[in-house]
Amino acid sequence: MSNNRDQFRPENHPHDHFLLTTVVGSYKKPKWLDRARELLEDEEASFDEEDWAEATDDAARLITEEHERSGLDAVVDGEMRRNEMVEYFAHLIEGYEFNGRVKVWGHNYFDKPSVVEEVEYDQEWLVDEFEFTDSVSSRPVKVPITGPYTLANWSFNEVYDDDEQLAYDLADLVNEEIERLVDAGAKYIQIDEPALATTPDDHAIVGACLDRIVDEIPDDVRVGLHVCYGDYSRIYPEMLDYPVDEYDLELCNGNYEQLDVFVEDEFTKDLALGVVDAHVAEVEPVEEIKENILKGFEVVPPERLTVSPDCGLKLLPREVAYGKMENMVQAAREVEAELDAGEIDVGLAAPTSD
């Protein structure tokens, strides 16, 4: 069970109880940043890498400040420097190459990378991003990293005998990157493994990858695992054996119909519960979010509950994304006050409206 959570509690926190508030990671980019990328990719435009670096710094500063203004306890820069969760990292890893876009669903295309040589660590992935965000923020910074299983599963594998071996090699690279992030001062790491939800029979492979990822990572570094959508009953309770402090799960979008999955067997880790829906372009009222937070107490007590959106907010209009964060933080602070006042009876489980 985690004991590294209190380091994210603000010094002037107004309540005895503390529900850590944060976001999953990605956030809507300012329109001008999308235009800047178009200029960077336009060979006829006089817009170079130096201009792009200035634009991404400006965007990262803007979104980090937006996260702070909403009141989040742990912030992210909204992944302003990243174009896509697999493609971005594949460009940084030796052994990948790109051969054109593939259609993934509807009219959406993905520049799916190919592994054409054994993967190697070639350059730092996120240290500059973390150091910049940390320098412009007064709050702790969380660093999301796409996990090795997803990096392997969502790529063409032209070299390894199977995706399992590729995932293990990628896990060693993720471990090296986290070691560098820790040396730079990072205390909160989130591994994103959405592919796990689509291939739950491989949960043991993800566990073996995580063993490699956390090797020699200090205990005071909080490591979370984000898994969105899918049938959680196919990986629970086995996933509790993973060497992480916190599970960040998408349950709001399914109206918490899968909550019972996590009640049948004791949830022995911390829970980061999605309490606002990342797929609905409306801001949930504070009272509704408070009821969602109470559902988390059916699984873990308050001292082990993190409050978060279901998933990244990058597909929502910025004003909607900001409204969700602001209401989410207000709801968490009101629930803390009611816990302090003894108005909420938490005993695994807390009473709910139904």
Side-chain angles (χ1 to χ4, degrees):
M1 194 170 298
S2 170
N3 59 1
N4 55 26
R5 183 174 180 272
D6 280 350
Q7 63 185 311
F8 305 107
R9 180 188 179 105
E11 290 184 3
N12 58 349
H13 192 67
H15 306 125
D16 293 337
H17 283 85
F18 174 53
L19 302 174
L20 173 61
T21 58
T22 187
V23 286
V24 171
S26 67
Y27 198 77
K28 184 72 172 181
K29 291 179 172 64
K31 290 180 181 177
W32 51 260
L33 188 62
D34 292 333
R35 176 60 180 147
R37 179 178 291 279
E38 290 173 1
L39 289 172
L40 179 68
E41 294 171 352
D42 183 350
E43 294 180 357
E44 296 183 0
S46 58
F47 192 90
D48 59 19
E49 290 290 345
E50 187 175 343
D51 297 324
W52 173 245
E54 181 179 346
T56 50
D57 279 355
D58 287 346
R61 183 185 296 105
L62 177 71
I63 300 305
T64 302
E65 291 174 353
E66 201 157 299
H67 285 186
E68 283 196 346
R69 192 166 65 254
S70 75
L72 292 173
D73 299 306
V75 303
V76 183
D77 77 343
E79 302 179 4
M80 291 296 108
R81 303 165 202 280
R82 311 184 196 181
N83 50 350
E84 197 276 337
M85 66 181 300
V86 171
E87 182 183 340
Y88 178 79
F89 291 95
H91 277 292
L92 299 170
I93 297 171
E94 191 73 27
Y96 274 98
E97 72 173 26
F98 292 84
N99 296 301
R101 300 168 74 82
V102 297
K103 194 172 186 179
V104 286
W105 71 83
H107 298 290
N108 292 293
Y109 286 80
F110 165 47
D111 203 358
K112 187 171 180 174
S114 298
V115 177
V116 297
E117 298 175 5
E118 290 193 1
V119 294
E120 294 182 12
Y121 191 92
D122 181 46
Q123 56 184 305
E124 291 182 337
W125 305 350
L126 301 171
V127 173
D128 286 349
E129 174 188 294
F130 166 74
E131 290 181 334
F132 180 84
T133 309
D134 192 48
S135 72
V136 300
S137 175
S138 61
R139 307 285 174 89
V141 175
K142 182 166 79 171
V143 184
I145 302 178
T146 303
Y149 181 75
T150 297
L151 287 172
N153 197 264
W154 290 1
S155 303
F156 294 115
N157 173 17
E158 301 179 14
V159 175
Y160 290 81
D161 291 337
D162 52 48
D163 288 353
E164 180 178 353
Q165 291 304 313
L166 171 58
Y168 293 156
D169 274 8
L170 287 165
D172 290 338
L173 307 191
V174 174
N175 170 258
E176 181 162 352
E177 179 64 18
I178 293 179
E179 286 183 342
R180 291 172 185 248
L181 285 164
V182 171
D183 288 344
K187 293 289 189 181
Y188 198 171
I189 306 291
Q190 174 186 289
I191 309 298
D192 293 331
E193 286 287 17
L196 172 60
T198 61
T199 51
D201 291 342
D202 284 350
H203 65 82
I205 297 174
V206 174
C209 286
L210 287 165
D211 285 335
R212 291 172 180 243
I213 286 172
V214 303
D215 185 40
E216 298 190 5
I217 301 301
D219 291 339
D220 64 342
V221 176
R222 186 171 184 80
V223 178
L225 178 69
H226 174 60
V227 183
C228 47
Y229 58 86
D231 182 357
Y232 292 118
S233 69
R234 297 185 63 185
I235 56 174
Y236 190 86
E238 289 81 4
M239 72 180 200
L240 291 175
D241 293 331
Y242 293 168
V244 300
D245 302 297
E246 175 182 85
Y247 291 92
D248 193 305
L249 304 176
E250 177 177 338
L251 293 172
C252 185
N253 182 248
N255 198 28
Y256 299 97
E257 291 180 353
Q258 294 195 60
L259 196 69
D260 288 347
V261 169
F262 305 104
V263 176
E264 291 181 6
D265 292 275
E266 182 184 4
F267 200 97
T268 55
K269 301 293 181 69
D270 291 356
L271 171 64
L273 181 70
V275 297
V276 295
D277 194 335
H279 303 285
V280 173
E282 296 176 357
V283 178
E284 294 89 341
V286 171
E287 286 302 319
E288 179 180 328
I289 300 173
K290 287 172 67 176
E291 289 194 9
N292 293 344
I293 292 173
L294 294 185
K295 292 183 184 300
F297 300 151
E298 298 179 38
V299 180
V300 295
E303 61 270 20
R304 289 170 43 207
L305 184 68
T306 296
V307 174
S308 171
D310 255 352
C311 198
L313 300 175
K314 68 178 183 180
L315 298 179
L316 296 173
R318 260 180 67 197
E319 64 273 19
V320 173
Y322 180 79
K324 284 177 182 279
M325 293 190 304
E326 189 175 47
N327 279 9
M328 185 184 78
V329 172
Q330 182 181 340
R333 301 291 95 98
E334 290 186 14
V335 170
E336 289 169 348
E338 292 170 14
L339 286 165
D340 286 358
E343 296 171 359
I344 297 175
D345 182 18
V346 178
L348 291 193
T352 61
S353 58
D354 53 10

